[in-house]
Amino acid sequence: MKPTFLITAGPTREYLDPVRFFSNPSSGKMGYALASAARDAGASVILVSGPVALRPPKGARLIRVESAQEMYREVTRCYRDADIVIMAAAVADYRPEKCLSKKMKKGRSALSLRMVRTPDILASLGEKKRKRLLVGFAAETGSLVREARRKMGEKNLDMIVANDVSRRDTGFGSDYNRALIIDKKGTVTRLPRMSKDRLAGIIVRQCLRNF
Ligand code: PMT
């Protein structure tokens, strides 16, 4: 039987008031490419997506969310139907403590905001993984392998895809990515710069081999 993939994509938005939010430049391209590759491999696909300007892959079940809290809720709800989970979304780690119901007025002085932690979705999935295959991404600006290994251990992952997001020609927003994959045995596979579609195919095939 073909497995069901649960894939996340895009950024989250953490609102300060109705017209302002904290976010990041994730376009959703990596996550949507993974959803297409899994669908092309004949799998069922649930795609939980932050706000992006992409056409959803035909045949995937799309669930749109905005905040990290909403993504946490939807991913947790779909988890029982999932065999393989790939978290490619760039989830905000912090949100403003309060979201005002009306637009905040500007004052004369500087503004300090208190930010609080959002739920770590992947870590919470790792705690109740059972037979599922859990794949995370690591977006880093240095010490790629060390940080990826740390995240892999902390979140109880079977595989992690690490990308350097300080580069302009790959990563956030680009059609291309340069990544390394670390598997459960600790083997590091360094991949050259390639299209996100091609990288997605490699990741999906590796998931299917290990499932
Ligand atoms: O969307 P694109 O423009 O195509 O760009 C692709 C990408 C750069 C966003 C993608 O390749 C990528 O690196 N995604 C992961 C971004 C990220 O949040 O990395 P992180 O190292 O901060 O988080 C580690 C892992 O934990 C990720 O799988 C993340 O989805 C997950 N996470 C993070 C925070 C949080 N609160 N909950 C989580 O589940």
Side-chain angles (χ1 to χ4, degrees), residues 87-146:
M87 286 278 311
V91 187
D93 288 318
Y94 292 89
R95 64 170 173 82
E97 185 174 35
K98 287 187 192 127
C99 174
L100 306 174
S101 58
K102 297 225 165 81
K103 185 183 169 197
M104 195 174 70
K105 298 287 179 202
K106 72 169 172 286
R108 286 181 182 282
S109 51
L111 172 71
S112 297
L113 284 175
R114 190 174 147 77
M115 304 287 281
V116 295
R117 282 294 311 267
T118 57
D120 189 321
I121 303 169
L122 197 47
S124 87
L125 301 182
E127 284 169 12
K128 46 191 175 199
K129 186 166 70 166
R130 302 210 175 156
K131 287 185 175 163
R132 296 177 190 87
L133 191 89
L134 205 52
V135 181
F137 270 70
E140 306 298 338
T141 52
S143 313
L144 214 54
V145 173
R146 196 182 66 217

Side-chain angles (χ1 to χ4, degrees), residues 4 8 18 24 38 40 44 49 57 68 100 128 131-132 134 139 155 157 173-174 176 180-181 191 205:
T4 296
T8 66
N24 61 68
D40 291 348
S44 302
S49 174
L100 306 174
K128 46 191 175 199
K131 287 185 175 163
R132 296 177 190 87
L134 205 52
K155 301 184 192 218
L157 306 179
S174 171
Y176 297 87
L180 59 85
I181 299 178
L191 298 168
R205 281 194 295 280

Side-chain angles (χ1 to χ4, degrees), residues 19 28-29 58 77 82 86 105 129 162 164 180:
V19 296
K29 287 176 185 172
K58 279 210 178 79
R77 195 168 60 82
I86 310 179
K105 298 287 179 202
K129 186 166 70 166
D164 181 345
L180 59 85

